[in-house]
Amino acid sequence: MKTLVTYMTQTGNTQKIAEAIFGELEGEKDIKPIGEVADLEGYDLAFIGFPVLQFDVPANVKTFISEKTAGKNIAIFMTHAVPEGTEVIHSWTGSATDAAADANVLGSFDCQGELAQPVIDMLLKMDDPQMKAFGEMGPSTKGQPDESRVQKAKEFAKEVQAKL
Ligand SMILES: Cc1cc2nc3c(=O)[nH]c(=O)nc-3n(C[C@H](O)[C@H](O)[C@H](O)COP(=O)(O)O)c2cc1C
């Protein structure tokens, strides 16, 4: 079994989760930024991760999922600023799984990720009131993903791999 962990990150949160997942995987494995992955040839399973940006999957990640995952076993992971369990997260998971319509989606994982200070400063300056509201919730995200979230990501990795 050969597994790929691929991800997009801007401030390191999604990368932290990607590395936790990677560390738990059995068998042959690779970890690469999404920009370095041409296709999923040769992989039995791919974990694909991203930060939620502007209420959706980032466009480059969505394109990757819709163009490269047909017929493949995949699992999705994402980080976001809102607390886990917030209703709107379902729509982000849905957006990723819709893009993966021709893939075999084995699971999805999400957790809170810290808003970095430069991001908070940028969001507070934006005209969009929803983005401003994110900026205001910045301090409540400090330190995420913490060790308990990293642990959950590790369990997710094992659960997904056990499905194959
Ligand atoms: C421009 C921008 C837009 C964002 N939009 C959202 C959003 O719509 N919902 C959300 O929960 N978090 C949003 N975030 C927060 C990020 O998803 C979160 O901080 C994530 O953990 C960043 O991951 P990274 O460190 O891997 O880049 C946004 C961040 C930025 C910079």
Side-chain angles (χ1 to χ4, degrees):
M1 149 115 68
K2 190 167 179 188
T3 306
L4 173 69
V5 180
T6 187
Y7 60 92
M8 174 190 164
T9 195
Q10 292 179 326
T11 60
N13 300 332
T14 313
Q15 182 174 1
K16 188 172 179 185
I17 296 298
E19 286 167 357
I21 289 171
F22 183 71
E24 288 306 297
L25 297 174
E26 308 277 350
E28 271 190 273
K29 53 186 177 177
D30 290 328
I31 182 166
K32 290 182 191 178
I34 202 158
E36 293 177 15
V37 179
D39 57 48
L40 300 181
E41 266 333 285
Y43 293 106
D44 303 296
L45 168 64
F47 288 82
I48 302 171
F50 55 88
V52 173
L53 297 181
Q54 310 231 4
F55 299 98
D56 206 349
V57 181
N60 62 319
V61 178
K62 207 189 268 190
T63 302
F64 181 94
I65 294 173
S66 63
E67 291 181 357
K68 318 260 186 191
T69 63
K72 294 286 177 184
N73 295 312
I74 67 162
I76 301 289
F77 62 101
M78 69 179 115
T79 67
H80 45 71
V82 298
E84 294 90 353
T86 305
E87 186 58 30
V88 67
I89 295 168
H90 291 299
S91 73
W92 303 333
T93 309
S95 181
T97 53
D98 285 353
D102 298 321
N104 180 28
V105 183
L106 294 170
S108 70
F109 173 85
D110 71 274
C111 74
Q112 195 175 38
E114 173 172 332
L115 283 164
Q117 193 58 48
V119 173
I120 295 174
D121 296 342
M122 180 194 76
L123 290 169
L124 289 175
K125 281 190 210 130
M126 286 172 98
D127 292 331
D128 183 341
Q130 286 180 305
M131 289 299 123
K132 242 188 206 128
F134 273 123
E136 276 153 16
M137 67 179 286
S140 68
T141 66
K142 198 111 197 95
Q144 303 305 345
D146 63 4
E147 196 41 48
S148 72
R149 285 160 173 90
V150 166
Q151 191 53 42
K152 283 186 182 143
K154 290 180 179 176
E155 284 158 22
F156 168 71
K158 282 193 272 198
E159 280 164 23
V160 168
Q161 216 176 22
K163 289 182 182 172
L164 289 182

